[in-house]
Amino acid sequence: MNINLEFFILCFSSIFALVNPIGLVPIFLSITQDYNKKERDIIALKATIFSFFILIIFSMIGDLIFSFYNITIHGFRIAGGILLLKISFDMIESKRSRTKTTPKEEKEAEDKNEIAYTPLGIPLIAGPGSIASMMILSSESTNNSKKLSLLCALILVLFSTFLIFKLSKFLSKRFGKLGLRIMQRIMGLILMVISIEFILKGIKDSIQTWGF
């Protein structure tokens, strides 16, 4: 079974931009500042593994959710695109997206396991945007090649996220806050283009379904 390279690139770029691991570095360092390197690595590993299962579950039950609530993929693609567009604006402006977490949720994460699962796992890594994107991309995985491409893209994104968290201290010193903000804005721009494509495709498919 071969990977669909074009679909793999779409999946990787959209999920990576949504997870935005580079933009999460300052947050990761902030909520793990009282832990040593080994403890931070364990937290990062648990968070990425937990996020993987959450995103896979949502990608698998997406069709069930659509049928239960009588939702079309076209409508969900438009709604998901609007959500991603909102997140992309926040990223371009170097803001923390309010669709992800709140300061109160961060303060409530007191032990290592809780920090790994929330707020790191949910909603920072596996947030509404990445969940919506996984459901949309999964619905577009019409053959085994695309399904494998989506799975490989997700694994690569989360592995990259783990490595970035593992190197968070180095990256923070190397690039500084300004460098991290620049990278976050670039990811935000990429995500903006992807979100607009989602919206336009959803509108186009809806119009075709209506028979206009």
Side-chain angles (χ1 to χ4, degrees):
M1 188 188 304
N2 295 323
I3 289 178
N4 185 317
L5 185 59
E6 183 179 351
F7 190 68
F8 171 82
I9 293 172
L10 170 65
C11 294
F12 178 82
S13 58
S14 58
I15 298 171
F16 188 88
L18 276 166
V19 173
N20 187 24
I22 296 173
L24 292 179
V25 166
I27 306 170
F28 177 75
L29 290 174
S30 174
I31 63 179
T32 59
Q33 60 183 343
D34 295 329
Y35 303 116
N36 59 43
K37 187 180 185 306
K38 183 179 180 181
E39 289 172 331
R40 285 198 305 272
D41 291 348
I42 292 173
I43 290 171
L45 181 61
K46 286 183 177 179
T48 49
I49 291 175
F50 178 66
S51 301
F52 171 79
F53 285 110
I54 292 297
L55 292 172
I56 285 293
I57 288 171
F58 271 97
S59 71
M60 292 172 64
I61 65 173
D63 290 337
L64 181 62
I65 293 173
F66 290 153
S67 60
F68 182 81
Y69 289 103
N70 197 25
I71 299 171
T72 66
I73 183 59
H74 315 314
F76 191 84
R77 186 179 283 112
I78 295 170
I82 292 171
L83 175 63
L84 306 190
L85 189 63
K86 164 67 171 61
I87 295 173
S88 71
F89 276 119
D90 289 341
M91 289 169 65
I92 288 173
E93 295 175 3
S94 291
K95 291 180 181 178
R96 290 279 305 286
S97 173
R98 302 308 300 163
T99 59
K100 286 195 170 185
T101 187
T102 65
K104 184 179 179 181
E105 286 174 326
E106 290 181 11
K107 290 179 182 178
E108 290 174 351
E110 293 178 351
D111 59 58
K112 290 187 285 292
N113 284 328
E114 188 175 351
I115 288 173
Y117 302 135
T118 179
L120 261 184
I122 296 178
L124 286 175
I125 299 175
S130 53
I131 288 173
S133 182
M134 281 295 296
M135 291 176 69
I136 293 170
L137 292 169
S138 178
S139 70
E140 295 180 353
S141 303
T142 53
N143 54 53
N144 290 334
S145 177
K146 285 189 173 182
K147 289 178 181 177
L148 179 62
S149 300
L150 176 58
L151 178 62
C152 291
L154 176 62
I155 291 173
L156 185 57
V157 167
L158 293 180
F159 181 69
S160 301
T161 301
F162 170 70
L163 289 181
I164 289 170
F165 283 171
K166 189 177 176 66
L167 299 171
S168 56
K169 283 280 189 183
F170 170 78
L171 291 173
S172 182
K173 292 177 182 178
R174 182 74 174 176
F175 296 104
K177 289 184 178 180
L178 179 60
L180 293 175
R181 283 178 182 172
I182 291 172
M183 288 300 299
Q184 184 173 354
R185 283 173 175 153
I186 293 172
M187 290 295 104
L189 185 61
I190 294 172
L191 180 59
M192 181 181 291
V193 175
I194 292 170
S195 64
I196 292 172
E197 288 289 341
F198 277 165
I199 294 170
L200 292 178
K201 182 171 174 54
I203 293 173
K204 177 186 175 183
D205 291 345
S206 295
I207 292 173
Q208 289 177 342
T209 302
W210 295 335
F212 290 111

